[in-house]
Every structure is written in C-alpha cells, then in structure tokens.
Amino acid sequence: MLIVQKYGGTSVGSIERIQNVAAKVAKTRSEGNDVVVVVSAMSGETDRLVSLAHQITGTPSEREMDVLLSSGERVTIALLAIALNNLGYPARAFTGRQAGIVTNSVHTKARIERVNGERVLEALKHGVIPVIAGFQGISEGADVTTLGRGGSDLTAVAIAAAIKADLCDIYTDVDGVYTTDPNIVSEARKLDKISYEEMLELASLGAKVLQSRSVEYAAKYGVKLRVVSTFKDGSGTLLTEEDKDMEKVVVSGVTYDRNQAKVTIVGVPDKPGIAAKIFGTIANANIVVDMIIQNVSQESLTDISFTVPRSDINKTNEIMKSITKEIGAKEYELKEDIAKVSIVGVGMKSHSGVAAKMFTVLAGEGINIMMISTSEIKISCVIDAKYTELAVRTLHKAFELENSHKGT
Ligand code: ADP
Ligand code: ASP
Ligand code: MG
C-alpha cells in the first residue's frame, strides 16, 4: 500500500517522540508499504513563534509571519529524516515548496491551488521516505505561505490526493474522533466511523482533531482518511460516506470554539448598502465572518453583531475604527471572552425540536445565549466563554452521547 502518515505537534514534541515516530514509520515501511510522512512543528512551537512577533506588534505583516511560522515545521522534517536515516531507512526532508505545494498568496491562510507530486514520487521510486513539512506551501510569486492553524492535516490530505495514496492516516494524541473533546468530557465516546459531512461540520465548529479544510479536500478528492493515535494501537476513526445508520442518530457530536471574538456596531444608520459596506471591507481583508445578527431598527438606527476569528481581532479593530466613522455609526465594541458551542448531526434534518431542547438545556444551567445560528445539520450558540465546559458537558449528557448510548 501507499500510505501517507501525518504526525501532529504532540507526536513530535521531543527528540524521544521523534524517535518513536521514526520507529513507527520504519515499521510501516518494513511491512512492505510505501510511506510518505507529513509532520507538524513540535508542540507549542507555532504558538511560541506567534507570540514572539506579537511582542513587537499586534498587527505584524502576514507575509513575514509565514516566513516565521513555516520555520517550525522545517525543524521537525529535518530531525525526523535524520532519525530515520539513523535507523537505516533512507529518508529525505522536503519543505512545502520542495514537495510541490502551490498555494494562492493569501498569507497565513493560503489555499492550495495545485500539488506537483513528482519529487515525492521520485523519492519513493528510489526507496527513499519523503518527510514533508506540513502547514506550508509556496505562492506563484515564490513567497512562503501557510495554510491556517492545524494546516498540516491539509498538507497530508493534499499530498495523498496528488500521489493517489491508498490511505491517509492522521496520527495524533487521541485515538480517534469522539462525540466531543475527550479531554473535556471523560464520558465522550469514540466513533468507529463518521461521514465526511458530519466531520466537516464538527471540524469547522471547533473540533480541532482535524482541520476543516482537510476534511473538505478529502471529500472532494476521495481521499481515504483515518484518525489514529500515535501512542496506542487501535483502529481509530474512519471517514466514510453517509449511511442509513448515521441518520438514525439525531445528534452525533458536541463542539466548542473559543477562538472567536464578537464585534458589535452600535447605532448603525438603517439604510440600504450599509451591511454590504461593512462586510465587504472585512472580506477584502480576508477576514472570515461567521455569525451575523442585526437588531430591529429603532428610530432608523440598528445594532449589528458578528463574529470573527480571534486571531484577526487586531486587524478587525483597525477596520472598525475607520468604518464606524465612515458609515456614521455611534460606536463599536469587541468582546473576546466568548465561545461558540454547537451540536451536530445528520439526523437533525428529519427531526424537530432539537434547537428548542438545546436552548432549554442551556437555560437550565443559567447560561445566556448571545447569538444563534443553524443549518440543516447543526445548531450553534454563542455564550460567555466561562461556561464553555459546563455547556459542552451538559449538552453531551442531555443528548445521550455517553458510552452507554448505542447510536452509531
Ligand atoms: P495534532 O497536534 O496532532 O494535530 P490537535 O491538538 O490539533 O492535534 O488535535 C487533537 C485534539 O483535538 C485532541 O487532543 C482533543 O483535545 C481535540 N478534540 C476536540 N474535539 C475532539 C473530538 N470530537 N474528538 C477527538 N478530539 C477532539
Ligand atoms: N504547526 C501548525 C499549527 O500549530 C500546523 C499544524 O500543527 O497542523 O497550527
Ligand atoms: Mg492538529
């Protein structure tokens, strides 16, 4: 088989762990498989690099941030290739550019445009194990880019698609995808399989076990994707097409996202074109707006609230300063201590009363809901960040997702 194995930050967090990964890769190779490895930076390294830049300014140049952040993965590819060579397995480290990953030029959240897998395939042909830096690529203009936080998952999937791998295994610090974050709710249940559609919702709503774009990409290119543990044996969680059994389960997972911030513009003149102006300006700065709420207008003035990724908060603040003046709004507020809690399930399509139950459960704990958004297969509520764990735990229980439940 041709297998892509991706190892996350915790899995390569020390020299000892890198050696453990080398041994696992060597074992897969010795069993007669061809292996391509994708690695993240050592755990905590990307955060450390971000904070170094932020000690200088809150709004560093994004092109320069990519040069900085991509350095984390350069370290681990080199160390892992050295460790593999040391075990007698020829390996070669490749940066994103060397692995043929071409992206657009939206720095810090670039999208992959194409992957030229030739060099990787050439290495395999010579019996060499390619060790590829996750999370990075190169723009048409030859600048280093990064793919957004958690982006090594996407690198692995994109490489797997390009070289037509039989399997893409995401090795991490949990042994699969659970009904909710097992580090928060000990009763969380591991799923043996999950549909791409549900996984995409879970991932985009904060279940960081897989980066959402990697799931999207895997579904699009038919990559067989699995989440497995680096530290213990097991079959993990396989992503599959949706089947009838899955629809029987109304809610299959609970997620939280603490990486959002809420912006409220107060006293906005209620006339055509204002929302287009505000959100057009934000979109031009490549900031992704998630939820939007506009209040009923009183005396031709209204309030607009929306959420943006917390990592874009400084950029958003700059834009808000000028746009509130431009549109003649009274003022704006930024609130960072919020969380978005969501329930997900393909079975929701055919069930009513799920939203009402979610609101009742949150109300029962005295948790105030600031914003709501729904789709066919998810319901999200923005709440005060301090209630995140309580909300996740209570929802997980109320929708009977614990071990005893025989859902999927
Ligand atoms: P890596 O560094 O290997 O990429 P991440 O930290 O990005 O690992 O993702 C793994 C983490 O995702 C787990 O440690 C867990 O806390 C978190 N997580 C959140 N939601 C889920 C879920 N539904 N199932 C499994 N893990 C989850
Ligand atoms: N090192 C990057 C991050 O921490 C990419 C990744 O780990 O997937 O976001
Ligand atoms: Mg990750």
Side-chain angles (χ1 to χ4, degrees):
M1 283 218 293
L2 173 54
I3 306 174
V4 174
Q5 298 186 332
K6 178 259 168 176
Y7 292 91
T10 318
S11 310
V12 294
S14 65
I15 289 299
E16 205 181 21
R17 288 189 172 177
I18 289 174
Q19 284 173 316
N20 168 53
V21 167
K24 286 177 77 75
V25 173
K27 181 164 180 280
T28 314
R29 179 84 183 96
S30 67
E31 287 165 352
N33 302 292
D34 279 324
V35 199
V36 174
V37 192
V38 173
V39 285
S40 296
M42 292 167 94
S43 53
E45 179 62 10
T46 311
D47 287 341
R48 189 184 73 88
L49 295 169
V50 170
S51 76
L52 286 179
H54 283 170
Q55 286 174 35
I56 303 171
T57 166
T59 49
S61 140
E62 292 180 332
R63 181 188 177 279
E64 285 26 80
M65 280 310 277
D66 277 352
V67 174
L68 177 66
L69 298 193
S70 63
S71 70
E73 272 75 9
R74 280 186 94 109
V75 172
T76 43
I77 51 168
L79 291 173
L80 181 58
I82 290 169
L84 278 164
N85 287 332
N86 194 45
L87 291 178
Y89 287 80
R92 188 165 293 172
F94 291 102
T95 62
R97 178 181 68 79
Q98 291 168 328
I101 296 178
V102 181
T103 71
N104 64 14
S105 53
V106 182
H107 286 288
T108 76
K109 45 192 138 181
R111 293 188 78 94
I112 294 181
E113 286 188 338
R114 60 194 149 81
V115 180
N116 178 358
E118 258 168 48
R119 234 178 132 176
V120 171
L121 289 169
E122 188 65 21
L124 286 172
K125 211 168 81 189
H126 290 98
V128 170
I129 301 171
V131 181
I132 301 171
F135 178 56
Q136 56 178 261
I138 187 106
S139 69
E140 296 283 2
D143 283 325
V144 177
T145 53
T146 63
L147 310 175
R149 296 306 302 268
S152 298
D153 297 336
L154 177 60
T155 304
V157 170
I159 290 285
I163 63 171
K164 300 192 171 53
D166 301 298
L167 178 63
C168 179
D169 272 339
I170 305 293
Y171 282 87
T172 182
D173 55 3
V174 286
D175 61 351
V177 178
Y178 280 71
T179 47
T180 192
D181 188 342
N183 289 325
I184 288 214
V185 182
S186 56
E187 292 83 16
R189 181 172 46 91
K190 185 174 86 73
L191 305 166
D192 294 330
K193 56 180 185 174
I194 185 167
S195 69
Y196 287 97
E197 194 186 5
E198 266 178 341
M199 189 64 235
L200 183 57
E201 284 287 353
L202 289 180
S204 43
L205 293 169
K208 67 171 183 162
V209 62
L210 281 177
Q211 190 224 27
S212 62
R213 264 156 56 198
S214 72
V215 181
E216 207 176 1
Y217 204 100
K220 188 168 166 195
Y221 292 96
V223 173
K224 190 172 170 190
L225 189 59
R226 201 166 64 155
V227 176
V228 275
S229 165
T230 307
F231 306 105
K232 74 179 207 210
D233 289 335
S235 54
T237 301
L238 184 68
L239 271 72
T240 60
E241 297 302 324
E242 197 174 310
D243 64 35
K244 289 236 154 39
D245 279 356
M246 292 174 172
E247 277 168 36
K248 284 191 212 137
V249 185
V250 180
V251 173
S252 54
V254 181
T255 63
Y256 63 93
D257 181 355
R258 279 190 279 226
N259 295 316
Q260 300 267 322
K262 180 162 151 277
V263 184
T264 304
I265 316 181
V266 183
V268 179
D270 197 6
K271 56 183 191 210
I274 295 281
K277 175 94 202 143
I278 297 169
F279 294 108
T281 312
I282 294 172
N284 285 339
N286 292 306
I287 298 170
V288 180
V289 170
D290 181 24
M291 294 187 184
I292 301 176
I293 287 184
Q294 178 171 343
N295 288 345
V296 180
S297 119
Q298 282 184 335
E299 293 159 9
S300 337
L301 290 180
T302 181
D303 296 347
I304 297 180
S305 293
F306 55 94
T307 58
V308 295
R310 212 177 283 184
S311 54
D312 284 328
I313 192 80
N314 294 326
K315 244 164 93 181
T316 307
N317 192 25
E318 294 301 313
I319 294 173
M320 284 305 118
K321 267 187 213 158
S322 57
I323 206 143
T324 36
K325 272 205 204 98
E326 213 177 303
I327 61 175
K330 221 155 121 199
E331 59 187 0
Y332 70 95
E333 294 161 11
L334 300 179
K335 187 170 165 53
E336 287 196 69
D337 51 350
I338 59 152
K340 182 170 68 172
V341 175
S342 315
I343 56 175
V344 176
V346 284
M348 265 185 224
K349 284 179 197 167
S350 47
H351 282 79
S352 57
V354 187
K357 181 167 172 182
M358 180 177 188
F359 305 152
T360 308
V361 168
L362 293 176
E365 297 297 328
I367 301 172
N368 185 42
I369 301 171
M370 299 179 214
M371 297 171 113
I372 298 168
S373 87
T374 64
S375 82
E376 240 191 341
I377 66 166
K378 69 114 205 249
I379 303 160
S380 301
C381 296
V382 170
I383 61 170
D384 201 315
K386 67 176 182 239
Y387 297 123
T388 315
E389 296 190 8
L390 175 64
V392 170
R393 220 174 274 128
T394 319
L395 288 167
H396 193 264
K397 197 167 171 57
F399 285 97
E400 295 169 40
L401 295 170
E402 302 100 327
N403 284 318
S404 58
H405 180 65
K406 302 254 181 323
T408 346

